Amino acid sequence: MNERYENFTYEIDHNLYINLTSKCTNECTFCVRNEKADYFGHKLWLSREPSAQDVLARIPADIARYDEYVFCGFGEPTIKLPVLLEVARALKARGATVRINTNGQANMIHGRDVTGELAECVDKINVSLNEATAEDYVKLCRPAFGEAAFAGLQDFAKKCAERGIDTWFSVVDVIGPEKIERCRAIAGKCGVTLRVRPYIG
């Protein structure tokens, strides 16, 4: 059993990351949490899930201290949608740039379209596409929603972009150039860009 902590926020480069939950609707084969209990030295397994007040207590008085405030931890942040929205609204009211790193399954998790609420307080959304087909996505990411997750995350990204959120898909370079080009085509159909990230071992 991993040790658990109250690391609700952590700093990487010039961004402050917000860690709302250790729960996720995917069990990705490559996930960093499978291999170790920390990420860049930050121990992110949570002993409890924070309230919005818990998180806001850790936001600096000088909001400009960080370039972006990013919802991203060892779990899927949109699982904790009410807390995420409360924190994001408070951050936006203070002039912060807000980003979410997500598996794109928020609408499936909540059984409704939540992108309108996100558009009110989120500037940027990075949706992990990870693969070029539903079949390969299921093998790699093992989503709770099965093959439907692949179409669901695309629909989510499309809706986010249509609402004016700066939205992109991300894939890791290890999938190879052929799959990357197929992912680029998927991104184009959804009206979003594709970003290719280097694999972090």
Short mmCIF file of all heavy atoms in Angstrom, two decimals, residues 128-159:
data_model
loop_
_atom_site.label_atom_id
_atom_site.label_comp_id
_atom_site.label_asym_id
_atom_site.label_seq_id
_atom_site.Cartn_x
_atom_site.Cartn_y
_atom_site.Cartn_z
N SER A 128 -6.10 13.73 -22.97
CA SER A 128 -5.18 12.64 -23.35
C SER A 128 -5.88 11.71 -24.33
O SER A 128 -6.77 10.95 -23.95
CB SER A 128 -4.75 11.86 -22.11
OG SER A 128 -4.04 12.69 -21.23
N LEU A 129 -5.48 11.78 -25.59
CA LEU A 129 -6.05 10.90 -26.62
C LEU A 129 -5.38 9.53 -26.58
O LEU A 129 -6.04 8.50 -26.64
CB LEU A 129 -5.89 11.56 -28.00
CG LEU A 129 -6.48 10.81 -29.20
CD1 LEU A 129 -7.98 10.63 -29.07
CD2 LEU A 129 -6.14 11.55 -30.50
N ASN A 130 -4.06 9.55 -26.50
CA ASN A 130 -3.23 8.36 -26.26
C ASN A 130 -3.14 7.34 -27.39
O ASN A 130 -2.11 6.72 -27.59
CB ASN A 130 -3.65 7.62 -24.97
CG ASN A 130 -3.34 8.41 -23.72
OD1 ASN A 130 -2.34 9.12 -23.67
ND2 ASN A 130 -4.20 8.33 -22.73
N GLU A 131 -4.22 7.13 -28.12
CA GLU A 131 -4.21 6.09 -29.17
C GLU A 131 -5.04 6.53 -30.38
O GLU A 131 -5.78 7.50 -30.32
CB GLU A 131 -4.74 4.76 -28.63
CG GLU A 131 -3.64 3.83 -28.09
CD GLU A 131 -2.71 3.30 -29.19
OE1 GLU A 131 -2.92 3.60 -30.38
OE2 GLU A 131 -1.76 2.56 -28.84
N ALA A 132 -4.91 5.76 -31.48
CA ALA A 132 -5.54 6.15 -32.74
C ALA A 132 -6.85 5.42 -33.04
O ALA A 132 -7.58 5.80 -33.94
CB ALA A 132 -4.56 5.93 -33.90
N THR A 133 -7.14 4.34 -32.29
CA THR A 133 -8.40 3.61 -32.48
C THR A 133 -9.00 3.25 -31.12
O THR A 133 -8.29 3.18 -30.12
CB THR A 133 -8.19 2.29 -33.26
OG1 THR A 133 -7.42 1.39 -32.44
CG2 THR A 133 -7.49 2.51 -34.59
N ALA A 134 -10.31 3.01 -31.11
CA ALA A 134 -10.99 2.64 -29.87
C ALA A 134 -10.43 1.34 -29.30
O ALA A 134 -10.22 1.21 -28.09
CB ALA A 134 -12.49 2.50 -30.12
N GLU A 135 -10.15 0.39 -30.18
CA GLU A 135 -9.63 -0.91 -29.74
C GLU A 135 -8.28 -0.76 -29.03
O GLU A 135 -8.06 -1.31 -27.96
CB GLU A 135 -9.49 -1.83 -30.96
CG GLU A 135 -9.06 -3.25 -30.60
CD GLU A 135 -8.85 -4.11 -31.84
OE1 GLU A 135 -8.96 -3.61 -32.99
OE2 GLU A 135 -8.55 -5.30 -31.65
N ASP A 136 -7.39 0.03 -29.63
CA ASP A 136 -6.07 0.23 -29.03
C ASP A 136 -6.17 1.06 -27.75
O ASP A 136 -5.41 0.85 -26.80
CB ASP A 136 -5.12 0.91 -30.02
CG ASP A 136 -4.67 -0.04 -31.12
OD1 ASP A 136 -4.75 -1.27 -30.93
OD2 ASP A 136 -4.26 0.45 -32.20
N TYR A 137 -7.10 2.01 -27.73
CA TYR A 137 -7.30 2.83 -26.53
C TYR A 137 -7.72 1.96 -25.35
O TYR A 137 -7.22 2.12 -24.23
CB TYR A 137 -8.36 3.91 -26.80
CG TYR A 137 -8.60 4.84 -25.64
CD1 TYR A 137 -7.78 5.95 -25.43
CD2 TYR A 137 -9.65 4.63 -24.74
CE1 TYR A 137 -8.00 6.81 -24.36
CE2 TYR A 137 -9.88 5.47 -23.67
CZ TYR A 137 -9.04 6.57 -23.49
OH TYR A 137 -9.25 7.41 -22.41
N VAL A 138 -8.62 1.02 -25.60
CA VAL A 138 -9.08 0.12 -24.53
C VAL A 138 -7.92 -0.73 -23.99
O VAL A 138 -7.78 -0.91 -22.78
CB VAL A 138 -10.24 -0.78 -25.03
CG1 VAL A 138 -10.50 -1.93 -24.07
CG2 VAL A 138 -11.50 0.05 -25.21
N LYS A 139 -7.08 -1.22 -24.90
CA LYS A 139 -5.93 -2.04 -24.47
C LYS A 139 -4.96 -1.23 -23.63
O LYS A 139 -4.43 -1.71 -22.64
CB LYS A 139 -5.19 -2.58 -25.71
CG LYS A 139 -5.88 -3.73 -26.40
CD LYS A 139 -5.04 -4.19 -27.59
CE LYS A 139 -5.84 -5.09 -28.51
NZ LYS A 139 -5.23 -5.20 -29.84
N LEU A 140 -4.73 0.01 -24.04
CA LEU A 140 -3.72 0.85 -23.38
C LEU A 140 -4.24 1.48 -22.10
O LEU A 140 -3.54 1.53 -21.08
CB LEU A 140 -3.27 1.95 -24.35
CG LEU A 140 -2.10 2.82 -23.89
CD1 LEU A 140 -0.80 2.03 -23.89
CD2 LEU A 140 -1.96 4.05 -24.78
N CYS A 141 -5.49 1.97 -22.14
CA CYS A 141 -6.01 2.80 -21.04
C CYS A 141 -7.01 2.09 -20.13
O CYS A 141 -7.33 2.58 -19.06
CB CYS A 141 -6.65 4.07 -21.60
SG CYS A 141 -5.48 5.09 -22.50
N ARG A 142 -7.53 0.95 -20.57
CA ARG A 142 -8.46 0.13 -19.77
C ARG A 142 -9.55 0.98 -19.10
O ARG A 142 -9.70 1.00 -17.89
CB ARG A 142 -7.68 -0.69 -18.74
CG ARG A 142 -6.69 -1.64 -19.39
CD ARG A 142 -5.92 -2.48 -18.42
NE ARG A 142 -5.02 -1.70 -17.59
CZ ARG A 142 -4.00 -2.20 -16.91
NH1 ARG A 142 -3.74 -3.50 -16.96
NH2 ARG A 142 -3.25 -1.43 -16.17
N PRO A 143 -10.33 1.73 -19.92
CA PRO A 143 -11.34 2.63 -19.36
C PRO A 143 -12.54 1.89 -18.78
O PRO A 143 -12.96 0.85 -19.30
CB PRO A 143 -11.76 3.47 -20.57
CG PRO A 143 -11.50 2.60 -21.75
CD PRO A 143 -10.28 1.78 -21.40
N ALA A 144 -13.10 2.46 -17.72
CA ALA A 144 -14.30 1.89 -17.09
C ALA A 144 -15.47 1.89 -18.07
O ALA A 144 -16.36 1.04 -17.97
CB ALA A 144 -14.67 2.70 -15.85
N PHE A 145 -15.48 2.80 -19.04
CA PHE A 145 -16.58 2.91 -20.01
C PHE A 145 -16.36 2.06 -21.26
O PHE A 145 -17.15 2.13 -22.20
CB PHE A 145 -16.79 4.37 -20.40
CG PHE A 145 -17.20 5.25 -19.24
CD1 PHE A 145 -16.28 6.14 -18.68
CD2 PHE A 145 -18.47 5.19 -18.70
CE1 PHE A 145 -16.64 6.95 -17.62
CE2 PHE A 145 -18.84 5.99 -17.64
CZ PHE A 145 -17.92 6.88 -17.09
N GLY A 146 -15.27 1.30 -21.31
CA GLY A 146 -15.01 0.45 -22.46
C GLY A 146 -14.74 1.26 -23.71
O GLY A 146 -14.28 2.40 -23.65
N GLU A 147 -15.04 0.66 -24.88
CA GLU A 147 -14.74 1.31 -26.16
C GLU A 147 -15.47 2.64 -26.32
O GLU A 147 -15.00 3.52 -27.05
CB GLU A 147 -15.07 0.38 -27.34
CG GLU A 147 -14.04 -0.71 -27.54
CD GLU A 147 -14.08 -1.31 -28.94
OE1 GLU A 147 -14.84 -0.83 -29.80
OE2 GLU A 147 -13.33 -2.28 -29.17
N ALA A 148 -16.61 2.81 -25.65
CA ALA A 148 -17.37 4.07 -25.75
C ALA A 148 -16.55 5.27 -25.28
O ALA A 148 -16.81 6.41 -25.69
CB ALA A 148 -18.66 3.97 -24.95
N ALA A 149 -15.57 5.03 -24.43
CA ALA A 149 -14.75 6.13 -23.90
C ALA A 149 -14.03 6.88 -25.00
O ALA A 149 -13.85 8.10 -24.93
CB ALA A 149 -13.74 5.59 -22.88
N PHE A 150 -13.61 6.17 -26.05
CA PHE A 150 -12.81 6.79 -27.11
C PHE A 150 -13.65 7.81 -27.89
O PHE A 150 -13.20 8.93 -28.15
CB PHE A 150 -12.25 5.72 -28.04
CG PHE A 150 -11.16 6.21 -28.96
CD1 PHE A 150 -9.95 6.67 -28.46
CD2 PHE A 150 -11.33 6.20 -30.34
CE1 PHE A 150 -8.95 7.12 -29.30
CE2 PHE A 150 -10.32 6.64 -31.20
CZ PHE A 150 -9.13 7.11 -30.67
N ALA A 151 -14.88 7.44 -28.23
CA ALA A 151 -15.78 8.40 -28.89
C ALA A 151 -16.20 9.49 -27.91
O ALA A 151 -16.33 10.66 -28.29
CB ALA A 151 -17.00 7.68 -29.44
N GLY A 152 -16.39 9.12 -26.66
CA GLY A 152 -16.83 10.08 -25.64
C GLY A 152 -15.83 11.20 -25.42
O GLY A 152 -16.21 12.37 -25.32
N LEU A 153 -14.55 10.84 -25.37
CA LEU A 153 -13.55 11.88 -25.13
C LEU A 153 -13.40 12.80 -26.34
O LEU A 153 -13.11 14.00 -26.19
CB LEU A 153 -12.20 11.27 -24.71
CG LEU A 153 -11.38 10.47 -25.71
CD1 LEU A 153 -10.47 11.35 -26.55
CD2 LEU A 153 -10.51 9.45 -24.96
N GLN A 154 -13.62 12.24 -27.54
CA GLN A 154 -13.57 13.09 -28.74
C GLN A 154 -14.73 14.09 -28.74
O GLN A 154 -14.56 15.27 -29.06
CB GLN A 154 -13.62 12.22 -29.99
CG GLN A 154 -12.36 11.40 -30.20
CD GLN A 154 -12.48 10.48 -31.41
OE1 GLN A 154 -12.72 10.94 -32.52
NE2 GLN A 154 -12.33 9.18 -31.19
N ASP A 155 -15.92 13.62 -28.38
CA ASP A 155 -17.09 14.49 -28.32
C ASP A 155 -16.89 15.59 -27.28
O ASP A 155 -17.24 16.75 -27.49
CB ASP A 155 -18.34 13.66 -28.00
CG ASP A 155 -19.60 14.50 -27.99
OD1 ASP A 155 -19.96 15.05 -29.05
OD2 ASP A 155 -20.21 14.64 -26.91
N PHE A 156 -16.30 15.20 -26.15
CA PHE A 156 -16.01 16.16 -25.08
C PHE A 156 -15.06 17.26 -25.57
O PHE A 156 -15.32 18.46 -25.38
CB PHE A 156 -15.40 15.42 -23.88
CG PHE A 156 -14.91 16.32 -22.78
CD1 PHE A 156 -15.78 16.89 -21.87
CD2 PHE A 156 -13.54 16.59 -22.64
CE1 PHE A 156 -15.32 17.71 -20.85
CE2 PHE A 156 -13.07 17.41 -21.64
CZ PHE A 156 -13.96 17.98 -20.74
N ALA A 157 -13.97 16.86 -26.22
CA ALA A 157 -12.99 17.84 -26.72
C ALA A 157 -13.63 18.77 -27.75
O ALA A 157 -13.40 19.99 -27.73
CB ALA A 157 -11.80 17.10 -27.33
N LYS A 158 -14.44 18.20 -28.63
CA LYS A 158 -15.12 19.00 -29.66
C LYS A 158 -16.03 20.05 -29.02
O LYS A 158 -16.01 21.22 -29.39
CB LYS A 158 -15.94 18.04 -30.55
CG LYS A 158 -16.60 18.67 -31.75
CD LYS A 158 -17.12 17.56 -32.67
CE LYS A 158 -17.80 18.13 -33.90
NZ LYS A 158 -19.16 18.59 -33.63
N LYS A 159 -16.79 19.63 -28.02
CA LYS A 159 -17.70 20.56 -27.33
C LYS A 159 -16.92 21.64 -26.59
O LYS A 159 -17.32 22.81 -26.58
CB LYS A 159 -18.59 19.79 -26.35
CG LYS A 159 -19.72 19.01 -27.03
CD LYS A 159 -20.63 18.39 -25.99
CE LYS A 159 -21.96 17.91 -26.61
NZ LYS A 159 -21.87 16.62 -27.27
#
